[in-house]
Amino acid sequence: MAKLVLAGKANCPNYAEAELLADYLQANLPDFRVHKITQHPDKWEQWLHDICEMNGWEHRQSPIIWRELLDHGGKGLLLGGVNDFLEYAQRYYGITSTMLREEMLDIAEENLQAHMEIEKEEEEIKSLIKPLQIWITRASASICYQLIPLLANGEVFGMTTEISIHLLDSDQFKDVLCGIVMEAEDMAFPLLRSISEHTEIDEAFVQADIIIVLDDVLLNREVQSLENCIREVSEICQVYGPLIEKNAKSGVRVISSGKTFVNLKAMMIMTYGKSIKPENVIAIATPWESAAKAMLARKLNMNAAGVKDVIVWGNITGCNYIDLSHAKLYGYDCAIWGPANFPRPLLNMIYDSEWIHSEFLSAQSSLSSRVCHCVGMLPAHAVATVLRYWYHDSPPGEIISVGILTKGQFCVPEGIVFSMPVRFQNGTWEVMTELEINETTQEVLGHLAHELIQEKLIALKETKEMYPYGADKNTSKTYLHQGICCEQHSFKSKTFRTVS
C-alpha cells in the first residue's frame, strides 16, 4: 500500500494541483492513500523548516510530498515538489494533471478560506476545553461569596464553558479565602474546573480572561479627606494596572464594581495599564438601576422586572443622575392591555408627577444607602448580569447603564469614565447615541462630568506628588497587604437626581 503525505501553503496553486491529482488517485486506486496538511501562509516557512530539519530533508517550496514507509517504519521517503509528484504519478500509474492555471488559482483561494474556517472552529473548540480564567480582587468581601455560585452554575457563560476562579486578597484574609475555596469545592459545580486563593500580589492576574475589581476604600469625612481616599484608590490601581498588562491575556475584560469610586477605579486602571484595551474596562451601574426600578415598581404596585430602560448617568457611586425619560413598563395592570412585549412609557403611567419630583427625589439618600449597605446579593447579581450580556448580548432594545471611557458621546468631555446607556452585542458594547436627551439633561451631564474630571485630576496630582520620579510599586504592594481596603464604610452618594 502506498501512503503519501501532501503538505503545502493553503493558498498555493501548485498544492491545489497536487491535491486534485492525489484525490483522483485515492478514489480510483484501492491501495493508494493520501494524508493532506495545509498551513496558513504566515506559518508555512517555519513549519517547512521544522519538518525538513526533523527528517534531514532539503526542500524550500510548497508543496512538499513524501511517502510514508508503512511496512518498514522510520522516517518518510521524500518525493519532492509538485513536478516530482506529477512525474511519480505518470511513471507508476500513467496518470497526470491537465489543470489550467486559472483553475489552480481558484482552488487555492477556496483552500485558504476553508483552512481559515477550520482554524476558527478549532480555536472555538479549544476555548471550550480551556477554562475561562476569572480573577476577583478583594475576594473576602461578601459580594464574592454571593458571586461564585452565579458564575459557576452555567447561566453567565453558558453550559459548555468551564471556568477557573482565582481569589485575591491580602494575607490577613487568607483563612477567609481558604474557607470560600473549600465550600465552593464541596458544592461540586460541574463547570468549575478549579478555584484557588492568592495572597501574593506578584502572581496576580496570570492568564486572566476576566478581572472583577471589588476593592473599596473607607470614605468617612470624619476620618479622612476625599483627597486621601482618592489617593488610596490611585495606589491600588497603580499596582493593578501594570500587573494586568504583564500577566493577563491581551483581551482581558475588567469590571469595576463595589460601593465606592467605581468610575475612578476603572479610569485609573486604564491610566496605569496603558496597553489594556479601553473598551474592555467598564464600571457597573446595575445595582443603582435595580434599586430605582424597585422603588418605581412599589409605587406602581407591579413586579420590578417589568420596569425597563432606567438610565444612570455620571459618577455611579458619587453624583449621578437617574433618567426616567426613556423608562418603559411591561406587563403593567391598567385599563389598556397588550401582548407581553407591549411597552408603556413609565412617566405616562405615573399620573402623580409631584411624587417623582418630591418623594422619589427625597428618597434617593435612602435608596443609595440600601445599595451601599446591601450584604452582597444585589451587586453580585449585577456583575453576573453584565457579564452574561457581555458574552451573550443584552436583550434586544434594552438599555443597560455602565461606566465607559468617553469619546465625546452626548457632548460629555473625552477621557473620563462616565455612566451612560449602552447595548451589548457580538461580544462588545456600543453607546446608544441615538437616544435623544433634552437641554436640562445635557446641562446636568456637564455638571456630572466636571465632578469626574476633578476626581481624575486629584488622583493624578496625588500620584505625581507621591512619586515624582515614577511609581514605587513596592510601596503600593505594602499598602495592599496591610489590608487598608475596607468593605464597611459610611459612603453615600452626594446627589441622586431624577429627570422627567
Side-chain angles (χ1 to χ4, degrees), residues 332-395:
Y332 179 54
D333 188 4
C334 64
I336 300 176
W337 278 83
N341 60 350
F342 176 68
R344 298 173 178 81
L346 180 143
L347 294 176
N348 291 353
M349 297 295 104
I350 299 181
Y351 298 101
D352 184 6
S353 60
E354 183 63 26
W355 178 86
I356 296 176
H357 297 288
S358 59
E359 293 186 36
F360 186 69
L361 180 60
S362 64
Q364 300 312 314
S365 60
S366 62
L367 180 63
S368 178
S369 179
R370 287 170 63 93
V371 173
C372 291
H373 291 89
C374 61
V375 296
M377 282 192 294
L378 177 59
H381 179 265
V383 171
T385 298
V386 171
L387 274 174
R388 184 173 72 250
Y389 291 167
W390 209 345
Y391 277 81
H392 299 291
D393 299 349
S394 53

Side-chain angles (χ1 to χ4, degrees), residues 172-465:
Q172 70 183 88
F173 296 105
K174 184 176 179 64
D175 290 342
V176 177
L177 299 186
C178 290
I180 296 174
V181 168
M182 186 183 305
E183 193 166 351
E185 290 175 341
D186 290 345
M187 293 184 72
F189 293 106
L191 297 174
L192 182 60
R193 175 78 66 86
S194 65
I195 182 169
S196 56
E197 77 280 353
H198 303 266
T199 56
E200 294 296 329
I201 192 65
D202 291 335
E203 65 185 33
F205 313 132
V206 174
Q207 291 298 301
D209 294 290
I210 299 167
I211 298 172
I212 303 170
V213 180
L214 302 181
D215 300 73
D216 281 321
V217 300
L218 179 66
L219 182 54
N220 187 335
R221 295 301 176 83
E222 298 177 358
V223 176
Q224 58 180 327
S225 65
L226 176 64
E227 288 76 11
N228 286 337
C229 295
I230 291 176
R231 175 183 294 183
E232 292 181 10
V233 174
S234 182
E235 288 180 351
I236 295 170
C237 298
Q238 209 162 6
V239 176
Y240 286 171
L243 280 173
I244 293 172
E245 285 186 302
K246 176 184 176 183
N247 294 339
K249 295 179 181 176
S250 59
V252 62
R253 301 181 182 186
V254 182
I255 287 183
S256 173
S257 184
K259 303 172 184 178
T260 60
F261 297 108
V262 295
N263 294 59
L264 185 62
K265 285 185 292 187
M267 181 74 257
M268 290 295 98
I269 285 173
M270 286 184 276
T271 300
Y272 297 121
K274 296 187 181 299
S275 67
I276 302 171
K277 298 176 182 178
E279 64 271 18
N280 282 2
V281 183
I282 63 174
I284 297 291
T286 314
W288 278 261
E289 273 187 15
S290 300
K293 291 175 182 178
M295 180 181 292
L296 293 165
R298 287 192 293 271
K299 173 66 176 178
L300 294 166
N301 193 28
M302 64 176 294
N303 191 322
V307 184
K308 304 290 185 182
D309 300 345
V310 173
I311 303 174
V312 179
W313 297 94
N315 193 350
I316 296 167
T317 50
C319 187
N320 52 39
Y321 190 53
I322 302 299
D323 185 353
L324 305 182
S325 61
H326 299 279
K328 302 179 183 66
L329 302 178
Y330 292 83
Y332 179 54
D333 188 4
C334 64
I336 300 176
W337 278 83
N341 60 350
F342 176 68
R344 298 173 178 81
L346 180 143
L347 294 176
N348 291 353
M349 297 295 104
I350 299 181
Y351 298 101
D352 184 6
S353 60
E354 183 63 26
W355 178 86
I356 296 176
H357 297 288
S358 59
E359 293 186 36
F360 186 69
L361 180 60
S362 64
Q364 300 312 314
S365 60
S366 62
L367 180 63
S368 178
S369 179
R370 287 170 63 93
V371 173
C372 291
H373 291 89
C374 61
V375 296
M377 282 192 294
L378 177 59
H381 179 265
V383 171
T385 298
V386 171
L387 274 174
R388 184 173 72 250
Y389 291 167
W390 209 345
Y391 277 81
H392 299 291
D393 299 349
S394 53
E398 188 169 325
I399 296 173
I400 311 297
S401 301
V402 296
I404 54 98
L405 185 66
T406 55
K407 296 183 178 179
Q409 304 95 332
F410 300 106
C411 297
V412 175
E414 296 185 20
I416 57 175
V417 172
F418 195 93
S419 179
M420 57 179 62
V422 305
R423 68 169 66 88
F424 288 92
Q425 193 171 12
N426 299 325
T428 186
W429 53 262
E430 61 178 357
V431 178
M432 301 178 71
T433 52
E434 70 273 14
L435 295 180
E436 296 182 1
I437 58 175
N438 56 36
E439 293 181 3
T440 303
T441 303
Q442 189 65 67
E443 182 180 355
V444 173
L445 298 190
H447 292 301
L448 299 178
H450 178 73
E451 181 195 52
L452 286 165
I453 291 172
Q454 292 304 308
E455 280 191 1
K456 179 180 177 181
L457 291 176
I458 292 172
L460 295 177
K461 177 185 176 183
E462 294 290 344
T463 301
K464 187 174 181 180
E465 290 179 353

